[in-house]
Amino acid sequence: MIAAESFWWRLPILAFTVLAFAYFVLKVVTGGAGVDFNYFWLAGELWAAGENPYSDIFEDQGDILFSGKQNRPIYWAYPPNWWAICMVFAQGSFEIAGRSWTLMNGFFILAGTMLALYTFRPPLILGLVFAGTTFSMSATALTLSLGQTSALVFFGISLFLFALMRSNRPAMTLALVIMALKPTFGLSFVFFLVPQRRWWPSLMWAAGSVALMCVPALISIGPVPLISGFFSRIALYGSLNINEPGTITGLKHLIFGVTGQSIGILWFAALSALVGLALGRLATRAPEHSPTQAALLACLIAACLMIFPFHSYDMIPAVLI
């Protein structure tokens, strides 16, 4: 009798997870080139031609190649360690590259989910709820539809959690390299590790790897045009309508709602670094692989999502809390 009651209680949760996974697979299989993938493909095309995507040519080529299409590329504001990834996807046609990008995003969401389950090994029911929520949440659907980078960040954070809870330095190095592709996420995680000396080798290896990933871009267009263009594009990118305080999340949205004032991103970067540093300091006093350490990691993810301005499609890592 008890076993039967347990089965009927679990059946809706199992059905939810199965339906969520089917929905996820459908989004991956039927997805094409998302409108935000335009940016990455165009950056790769320009780098392959020896041009500087951090210049006005990015917008000019966006007008030519994507005229009349939704979300025409205007500014390229991602860091130069994207060079190799963009170059790979620029080798094929836009349609094939976009299809491959969607499949890659689907793989990273699935891999990040499985890795998180392997790391924490929750009870079956909680694991099903976690997986079903990840597969069905709107942030996942938007990431797959738009061709955004949130899937890669989600996998990077899952790998970070695995590395920390299992004391795996190579995995930590890879996680930091992945999250460096989106510094708004990676910053607080880097500073979380700074007070913990056992992770200094991973920090140094990751810093060296990221620097090497930037070298081809530096060589192809020169350090001065790249650095000056990159920072100018960051400033311009923040002025776009899609990045206005009323359309994003985090403290910037809250402060704008209360005061009507828009605060620069550097203030949020400094605050994120300080919070990461403080949580990392607390982690040095917590036993390794303990519930306290896991709670600090949840606080780190929550603080990152709360402090920095993000869009709704960036919220996939929230499920890890």
Side-chain angles (χ1 to χ4, degrees):
M1 182 66 178
I2 295 177
E5 289 179 354
S6 176
F7 170 77
W8 288 111
W9 176 71
R10 296 178 181 182
L11 186 60
I13 297 176
L14 178 61
F16 161 68
T17 305
V18 171
L19 289 174
F21 182 69
Y23 171 70
F24 167 76
V25 171
L26 184 66
K27 293 291 290 185
V28 173
V29 172
T30 60
V35 294
D36 287 346
F37 174 68
N38 303 351
Y39 286 80
F40 302 93
W41 185 82
L42 180 56
E45 285 282 302
L46 293 177
W47 265 322
E51 300 288 353
N52 182 6
Y54 301 108
S55 65
D56 292 339
I57 194 173
F58 188 83
E59 183 176 3
D60 294 339
Q61 288 299 308
D63 283 333
I64 296 171
L65 297 174
F66 299 99
S67 178
K69 294 186 178 181
Q70 187 180 6
N71 198 20
R72 175 178 50 81
I74 301 176
Y75 304 125
W76 173 249
Y78 282 86
N81 46 325
W82 275 95
W83 182 89
I85 298 175
C86 292
M87 286 286 284
V88 168
F89 282 94
Q91 298 309 305
S93 68
F94 177 75
E95 290 73 19
I96 294 176
R99 186 77 191 88
S100 302
W101 182 268
T102 301
L103 291 172
M104 181 191 74
N105 278 341
F107 167 79
F108 280 126
I109 291 171
L110 181 61
T113 303
M114 296 300 103
L115 186 57
L117 291 172
Y118 177 76
T119 300
F120 295 104
R121 301 189 180 183
L124 177 61
I125 292 300
L126 291 180
L128 289 173
V129 171
F130 167 75
T133 303
T134 304
F135 296 142
S136 63
M137 63 193 306
S138 62
T140 300
L142 283 171
T143 291
L144 294 171
S145 298
L146 297 176
Q148 263 294 333
T149 60
S150 309
L152 186 59
V153 172
F154 172 66
F155 175 74
I157 294 177
S158 295
L159 187 59
F160 183 96
L161 300 179
F162 166 80
L164 198 70
M165 299 304 292
R166 302 300 172 90
S167 298
N168 190 316
R169 286 180 177 172
M172 180 61 77
T173 301
L174 179 58
L176 293 171
V177 170
I178 291 173
M179 285 192 287
L181 293 167
K182 194 153 187 174
T184 47
F185 270 102
L187 184 65
S188 57
F189 287 84
V190 167
F191 277 89
F192 178 81
L193 298 181
V194 168
Q196 307 175 59
R197 290 190 178 184
R198 65 192 176 103
W199 294 115
W200 286 5
S202 293
L203 286 169
M204 289 186 287
W205 277 107
S209 300
V210 172
L212 284 175
M213 292 169 69
C214 295
V215 167
L218 286 166
I219 293 175
S220 65
I221 61 178
V224 174
L226 186 147
I227 295 172
S228 62
F230 173 55
F231 284 104
S232 69
R233 262 42 196 176
I234 289 178
L236 291 170
Y237 189 72
S239 66
L240 294 176
N241 292 336
I242 58 172
N243 295 319
E244 290 182 351
T247 64
I248 55 178
T249 65
L251 285 179
K252 186 170 185 175
H253 177 87
L254 293 177
I255 293 172
F256 179 78
V258 173
T259 66
Q261 300 296 316
S262 179
I263 297 179
I265 195 172
L266 290 180
W267 291 101
F268 300 110
L271 180 58
S272 180
L274 288 173
V275 171
L277 201 62
L279 291 173
R281 180 60 180 167
L282 290 174
T284 61
R285 303 180 181 181
E288 291 186 17
H289 318 146
S290 66
T292 302
Q293 193 175 54
L296 288 170
L297 289 171
C299 291
L300 179 65
I301 297 171
C304 177
L305 293 173
M306 179 65 186
I307 294 171
F308 259 112
F310 289 115
H311 294 91
S312 58
Y313 51 71
D314 290 312
M315 293 295 123
I316 301 178
V319 75
L320 294 168
I321 300 175

